[in-house]
Amino acid sequence: MIIGKVVGSVISTRKNENLVGNKFLIIEPIKSMAHAGDRLVAIDNVGAGIGEVVLVATGSAARIGCGMESAPIDAAIVGIIDEGVKLE
Amino acid sequence: MIIGKVVGSVISTRKNENLVGNKFLIIEPIKSMAHAGDRLVAIDNVGAGIGEVVLVATGSAARIGCGMESAPIDAAIVGIIDEGVKLE
Amino acid sequence: MIIGKVVGSVISTRKNENLVGNKFLIIEPIKSMAHAGDRLVAIDNVGAGIGEVVLVATGSAARIGCGMESAPIDAAIVGIIDEGVKLE
Amino acid sequence: MIIGKVVGSVISTRKNENLVGNKFLIIEPIKSMAHAGDRLVAIDNVGAGIGEVVLVATGSAARIGCGMESAPIDAAIVGIIDEGVKLE
Amino acid sequence: MIIGKVVGSVISTRKNENLVGNKFLIIEPIKSMAHAGDRLVAIDNVGAGIGEVVLVATGSAARIGCGMESAPIDAAIVGIIDEGVKLE
């Protein structure tokens, strides 16, 4: 998993039907992480909001681990990092 | 997922039979995204056209999430980003 | 998927038994693609030859999409790009 | 797999329910490894502690190989490298 | 797959039980390959030794293609490149 900050969201009206009902958040991995600065889009599995620092799972883990086995999802926010945790 | 722009298409007459009937579009990830500028080829699951900004799923999510479990597909356009959305 | 050129082949006599009967071709992704210039080895699913420009699928798509579910294959040539297609 | 050093941990109270009970450790791949210096977060499958040098599996191997098939886990510590082993 | 040279091995006494009995070899991808120089750890499926040039499969292909579906393995040596083959 990587740690990133939610920096925005994106709206897609015309999309794969298995994606309906999901929020698409833009994640920016924090500086010390792999792919630092390189943003990705993740669905939200835990009710995260913009500005929060989150744990993101990628690959089949996002899809299967969030109970959406047949959705075209390759990244999901799976935890919100507790405030006060030092990361960099 | 990543956000990219459809910049072209590619034709392959001689191909794996499980790919027949798919359009192959060339995607250029937008600047702020991971792998910015590094193009990839994705099948189109939502009727995207050249110039449109799209959401691309990669890995097993592309294959399974688009109902093509037994096709050699590792990237698929799964949504079209609504116009007017600020991305960079 | 990525687009690359077949630049060579490689022979492995001592190998995993599920690989027997496959040709191993060396692919060089074209310049505009992700991982440009970084070569990889793919099995050939469509009868590609050296010098041809091909479509390469990676990950589980290569294995499952080519009907070799139990072989240790993570990249496969799944299409030959038609001549005359402009790519760069 | 890659070899990395456990350099910290992270706490997430609000998380996907399939993650409950796991420790999240921050791994820094050692210098000679792929993605050197680019940290990632892994769950701990072997009782590793901060400062230890460990073997990390990524992708579906982390989830399935650690008996957590339905958890959104894409990286796991699966071994502790014996002391005295020269790595760089 | 990628081609790399076996440059060392690593010992892990305390490890995931599904890994018991495997040798962990350190692979350095050859210069022309993707991730050139970035080492990774692979299990050995074909009896490779230090100094040999090998074919390495990564991802689920390593695990499933080597008959270790439930082991946390994401890279495996699946072939030894024949001597005399020119690679760079």
Side-chain angles (χ1 to χ4, degrees):
Chain A
M1 288 73 71
I2 55 164
I3 295 170
K5 195 172 183 171
V6 182
V7 295
S9 66
V10 80
I11 294 172
S12 169
T13 303
R14 194 144 50 108
K15 57 178 174 286
N16 179 297
E17 61 181 5
N18 294 321
L19 290 174
V20 174
N22 284 293
K23 254 200 309 190
F24 302 105
L25 298 180
I26 300 179
I27 310 294
E28 181 162 311
I30 64 171
K31 263 190 206 161
S32 58
M33 285 287 128
H35 310 293
D38 289 345
R39 295 178 179 184
L40 72 163
V41 177
I43 59 129
D44 179 20
N45 192 243
V46 292
I50 290 184
E52 281 186 299
V53 177
V54 296
L55 196 62
V56 177
T58 60
S60 59
R63 193 167 44 85
I64 295 170
C66 296
M68 288 176 289
E69 295 211 4
S70 53
I73 287 166
D74 62 14
I77 300 174
V78 297
I80 296 173
I81 304 300
D82 286 15
E83 277 184 49
V85 175
K86 275 198 180 175
L87 290 167
E88 314 209 48
Chain B
M1 287 74 72
I2 56 163
I3 296 170
K5 194 171 182 172
V6 181
V7 296
S9 66
V10 80
I11 294 172
S12 169
T13 303
R14 194 144 50 108
K15 57 179 174 286
N16 178 296
E17 61 180 8
N18 294 321
L19 289 174
V20 174
N22 284 293
K23 253 200 310 190
F24 302 105
L25 297 180
I26 301 179
I27 310 294
E28 181 162 311
I30 63 170
K31 262 190 206 162
S32 58
M33 285 288 126
H35 311 293
D38 289 345
R39 295 179 178 183
L40 71 164
V41 177
I43 61 129
D44 178 20
N45 191 242
V46 292
I50 291 184
E52 281 186 299
V53 177
V54 295
L55 195 62
V56 177
T58 59
S60 60
R63 193 167 42 86
I64 295 170
C66 296
M68 288 177 289
E69 295 211 4
S70 52
I73 287 166
D74 62 14
I77 300 174
V78 297
I80 296 174
I81 303 299
D82 286 14
E83 277 184 50
V85 175
K86 275 200 179 173
L87 289 167
E88 312 207 49
Chain C
M1 289 72 71
I2 56 165
I3 296 170
K5 194 173 184 172
V6 182
V7 295
S9 66
V10 79
I11 295 172
S12 169
T13 304
R14 193 144 52 108
K15 57 178 173 288
N16 178 297
E17 61 180 7
N18 293 322
L19 290 174
V20 173
N22 284 293
K23 251 198 315 188
F24 302 105
L25 297 180
I26 300 179
I27 311 294
E28 181 163 310
I30 63 170
K31 261 189 208 162
S32 58
M33 285 287 126
H35 310 295
D38 290 345
R39 296 178 177 183
L40 71 164
V41 177
I43 61 130
D44 178 20
N45 191 243
V46 291
I50 290 185
E52 281 185 299
V53 177
V54 295
L55 195 62
V56 178
T58 58
S60 60
R63 192 166 44 84
I64 295 169
C66 296
M68 289 177 289
E69 295 211 4
S70 52
I73 287 166
D74 61 15
I77 299 174
V78 297
I80 296 173
I81 304 300
D82 286 15
E83 276 183 52
V85 175
K86 274 201 179 173
L87 289 167
E88 313 209 50
Chain D
M1 290 72 72
I2 54 163
I3 297 171
K5 194 172 183 173
V6 182
V7 295
S9 65
V10 79
I11 294 172
S12 170
T13 303
R14 194 144 51 108
K15 57 179 173 287
N16 178 297
E17 62 182 3
N18 293 321
L19 290 174
V20 173
N22 284 293
K23 253 200 309 190
F24 302 105
L25 297 180
I26 301 178
I27 311 294
E28 181 162 310
I30 64 171
K31 262 190 209 162
S32 57
M33 285 287 128
H35 311 293
D38 290 344
R39 295 178 179 184
L40 72 163
V41 177
I43 61 129
D44 178 21
N45 191 244
V46 292
I50 289 182
E52 281 185 299
V53 177
V54 296
L55 196 62
V56 177
T58 60
S60 60
R63 191 165 46 83
I64 295 170
C66 296
M68 288 177 289
E69 294 210 6
S70 53
I73 287 166
D74 61 15
I77 300 173
V78 297
I80 296 174
I81 304 299
D82 286 14
E83 278 183 49
V85 176
K86 273 199 180 173
L87 290 168
E88 314 208 49
Chain E
M1 290 71 73
I2 55 164
I3 297 171
K5 194 171 184 173
V6 182
V7 295
S9 66
V10 79
I11 295 172
S12 169
T13 303
R14 194 145 51 107
K15 59 179 171 290
N16 179 296
E17 61 181 5
N18 294 322
L19 291 174
V20 173
N22 285 293
K23 250 199 314 188
F24 302 105
L25 297 180
I26 300 178
I27 311 294
E28 182 164 310
I30 65 170
K31 262 189 207 162
S32 58
M33 286 286 128
H35 311 294
D38 290 344
R39 296 178 178 183
L40 72 164
V41 177
I43 61 128
D44 179 20
N45 191 244
V46 292
I50 290 183
E52 281 185 298
V53 177
V54 295
L55 195 62
V56 177
T58 59
S60 59
R63 191 166 46 83
I64 295 169
C66 296
M68 290 177 289
E69 295 211 4
S70 52
I73 287 166
D74 61 15
I77 299 173
V78 297
I80 296 173
I81 304 299
D82 286 14
E83 277 183 52
V85 176
K86 273 199 181 175
L87 290 167
E88 315 208 53

